[in-house]
Amino acid sequence: MNTPVNFFLRKMLKWLSSINSWICLTMRNFAGLLLIAMTSIVTLQILSRYVFNNSLIWTEEVSKTMMVWCAFLIAPWAYRNGANVSISIFINELPLTLRKSLRLLINILVIWIIIVFFLESHGMVDRGFLIQAASLPIQVGWFYIVIPLTFLVMIFVGIELLVRDVLSFFHPKENFKIVTTTKNLESEK
């Protein structure tokens, strides 16, 4: 069935998939670099405090911010690849059509929640620019800027997942699952 809607959804999926794949992978890799930097800063603080008896005042605030940024930066990748915690014991027992319908409904609700969080995060960032960081000469809003960025990317990921679910619902014999280029640790066992 090659309708204009079907053609549009397939083109949209191809575009979203390539964009989301690149953005999510980039954010995930940047989160890994931040994790390395955070570990280095904490190690520097430990050495400074216990070896040189001179505590650095900025390390705690910077390392906490890096930890939060790591969590936010990895969220779109986890959402896209289904790496979030899920309880599927009940849904797996439902008929396939009902499962697909529930997946569509859940994705619509998740997108709606992410959009609300995205809109609300702008106020948080704006208020953050009114507050000076405790140990650094910058506004806290720069620490919060990752929040709307992450939610914006998650909106695009949610739309991609929704398009995949719609196409899967109407074309059950085709595979619309995300193909990842990285191996799962589970498959290596």
Side-chain angles (χ1 to χ4, degrees), residues 77-172:
W77 179 85
Y79 178 38
R80 186 170 188 268
N81 290 291
N84 296 319
V85 175
S86 66
I87 301 171
S88 57
I89 189 170
F90 299 113
I91 201 162
N92 288 342
E93 300 302 320
L94 297 174
L96 184 61
T97 307
L98 185 56
R99 270 188 285 173
K100 288 183 177 188
S101 300
L102 283 174
R103 181 176 289 147
L104 277 169
L105 178 65
I106 289 170
N107 272 334
I108 290 169
L109 290 172
V110 167
I111 292 168
W112 175 64
I113 291 168
I114 293 170
I115 289 171
V116 169
F117 284 172
F118 171 72
L119 295 173
E120 292 296 321
S121 68
H122 291 290
M124 181 179 176
V125 172
D126 289 342
R127 287 186 301 276
F129 279 113
L130 301 174
I131 303 168
Q132 183 78 24
S135 63
L136 297 170
I138 60 174
Q139 289 87 12
V140 175
W142 291 110
F143 296 156
Y144 297 161
I145 204 82
V146 72
I147 299 169
L149 171 73
T150 296
F151 286 133
L152 180 64
V153 173
M154 288 180 77
I155 290 169
F156 283 105
V157 168
I159 293 170
E160 177 192 352
L161 295 177
L162 186 64
V163 170
R164 287 181 187 282
D165 288 343
V166 168
L167 286 170
S168 174
F169 189 81
F170 290 109
H171 305 284

